[in-house]
Amino acid sequence: MSQQLKVALVAGEASGDLLAGLLLDGLREHWPLLAAVGIGGPQMARRGFVAWWVHDKLSVHGFGWEVLRRYREIVGIRKQLKTRLLQQRPDVFIGVDAPDFNLDLERDLKAQGIKTVHFVSPSIWAWRPERVEKIRRSVDHVLCIFPFEPALLAQHGIAATYVGHPLASLIPMRPDRSAARASLGLTEEDPVVAILPGSRPSEISHLALRFFQAAALIHQAQPAIKFIVPAIPALRASIEQAAQASGMHAHLQIMTGQSHTVLAACDVTLIASGTATLEAALFKRPMVIAYRMAWLSWQIMRRKQLQPWVGLPNILCRDFVVPELLQDAATAPALAREVLHWLDARATQPDKIAALQQKFSALHIELQRDTSRLAADAIQQVLQG
């Protein structure tokens, strides 16, 4: 295997940046002279990735107005990126999630003879099944993070490899709760709620204030509870503003980053639906999943949804193992009530907590693979044609 590899990547938000960063670690083990360029964030930059645009430029939420007002900018970035990649011609293009941006770009690059790989299969098993034809036209190979996906894609003539979920190897099977608490200045006895209102600006605008209003109700019921909020640096100001508006700022410990430390330390988390819910499951933490979006976006998504679950832990366990409160159901009193149920269960229903942790441990084992090696091997097969 040659030690040189020119790769272009696009990761569109914080979760994709994390996945792409872990993928770059594996690629560099196989190709020490790796050169990686494209669109990405800080996790990728730490691995020597050269960002032509930062990943925040692609972070968009929902449908309707939220997308329309950013459409021209995002399409312009994709057009410029395509021109640049066709000039420089990387050995392989890897789109990391962000299918609305990446699949069209991959289709155009593939048509010009550039190998294309998509990391994280679009969720055709959850919604928008019509997207499968676009995947078939756009990519040479899909790297799947869930075990049931390759067989599903194979039914449509799409080559795919299950590589496991990188987070399952990154997060320890038995997280060190004591060390995490010590690093955050918490005691073993403190009841701790982690609040994760999302990684996109629009998620913060729809969820943060509501989450903090729920925290206020929880605080009224149990004043001893500690609330920890890990914030993406770019969104910290918005989170601080929502905390002030809720009247809970003095009772919230807002951290810059450190979401894994916070999840390891907490007893339960109130969390926005997304990749973070899988992280919480891998930390074996009870959670309350919530989501809200603009009314039009919600109407479109609800009509396209194929499964009764939205949160990844529930989808992967094929059951409502943790509560989901979506759209109009995600009221502050309802969120507070569900969080308090989990906190009370620690004393009154320890078997319920243990059963959840057992399900999450089994899920962790299922997702834990040598992702970097499997992904690199699959990419090598694509390069060999």
Side-chain angles (χ1 to χ4, degrees), residues 1 30-31 371-382 384:
M1 182 186 296
H30 288 74
W31 291 278
T371 300
S372 63
R373 180 183 63 80
L374 293 171
D377 288 349
I379 291 169
Q380 176 68 8
Q381 290 298 316
V382 170
Q384 291 174 346

Side-chain angles (χ1 to χ4, degrees), residues 62-338:
F63 306 91
W65 171 244
E66 296 128 298
V67 174
L68 290 175
R69 67 187 180 89
R70 297 281 311 282
Y71 179 79
R72 180 176 295 180
E73 178 187 11
I74 291 173
V75 169
I77 290 172
R78 185 165 59 200
K79 183 178 179 180
Q80 293 176 66
L81 178 60
K82 182 179 78 170
T83 299
R84 200 164 176 179
L85 292 178
L86 289 176
Q87 290 172 346
Q88 298 195 11
R89 300 196 66 84
D91 296 312
V92 61
F93 174 86
I94 305 173
V96 183
D97 210 0
D100 289 320
F101 184 94
N102 279 324
L103 287 175
D104 285 339
L105 177 60
E106 288 160 353
R107 178 198 61 210
D108 293 345
L109 296 178
K110 183 181 178 184
Q112 294 298 318
I114 294 175
K115 301 292 187 180
T116 58
V117 173
H118 197 85
F119 184 26
V120 182
S121 173
S123 304
I124 55 172
W125 37 266
W127 72 308
R128 295 178 69 178
E130 71 279 2
R131 189 182 267 174
V132 70
E133 179 58 26
K134 178 180 279 192
I135 298 170
R136 192 184 65 79
R137 293 196 311 266
S138 301
V139 303
D140 291 298
H141 206 89
V142 179
L143 303 177
C144 299
I145 60 175
F146 299 128
F148 59 84
E149 292 174 322
L152 176 62
L153 292 170
Q155 294 174 12
H156 301 279
I158 300 168
T161 300
Y162 172 53
V163 299
H165 202 297
L167 290 171
S169 297
L170 182 69
I171 296 170
M173 189 64 68
R174 294 180 178 82
D176 192 337
R177 178 177 179 270
S178 297
R181 287 188 165 224
S183 72
L184 296 173
L186 302 167
T187 71
E188 288 292 316
E189 293 73 30
D190 285 330
V192 178
V193 174
I195 301 179
L196 284 76
S199 60
R200 302 172 179 172
S202 52
E203 289 173 337
I204 300 304
S205 67
H206 282 288
L207 292 171
L209 178 59
R210 196 168 297 255
F211 278 17
F212 298 153
Q213 290 169 338
L217 297 174
I218 297 167
H219 178 70
Q220 291 175 13
Q222 296 189 27
I225 290 175
K226 308 288 187 181
F227 298 96
I228 316 291
V229 187
I232 292 174
L235 299 178
R236 176 157 185 159
S238 299
I239 289 174
E240 296 268 9
Q241 186 176 16
Q244 292 283 3
S246 71
M248 277 293 288
H249 191 270
H251 303 288
L252 300 172
Q253 184 177 343
I254 300 176
M255 317 289 299
T256 298
Q258 301 189 60
S259 62
H260 283 191
T261 303
V262 173
L263 287 172
C266 75
D267 294 299
V268 60
T269 177
L270 175 57
I271 191 166
S273 181
T275 301
T277 63
L278 180 60
E279 295 177 80
L282 295 173
F283 276 101
K284 324 300 184 299
R285 295 300 180 250
M287 72 190 80
V288 177
I289 297 173
Y291 213 71
R292 282 182 63 86
M293 58 179 65
W295 180 85
L296 178 59
S297 296
W298 170 250
Q299 296 302 318
I300 294 171
M301 195 207 81
R302 188 173 61 173
R303 284 169 172 76
K304 291 178 175 287
Q305 186 178 348
L306 300 179
Q307 300 194 54
W309 315 282
V310 168
L312 281 171
N314 291 337
I315 289 172
L316 294 170
C317 292
R318 312 295 295 174
D319 192 12
F320 283 104
V321 297
V322 296
E324 296 181 0
L325 297 173
L326 309 176
Q327 206 62 10
D328 293 340
T331 64
L335 296 171
R337 182 173 61 250
E338 295 294 346

Side-chain angles (χ1 to χ4, degrees), residues 13-23 43 47 167 170 260 279:
E13 56 187 48
S15 59
D17 177 43
L18 175 62
L19 292 172
L22 297 172
L23 177 61
Q43 295 291 338
R47 276 83 169 186
L167 290 171
L170 182 69
H260 283 191
E279 295 177 80

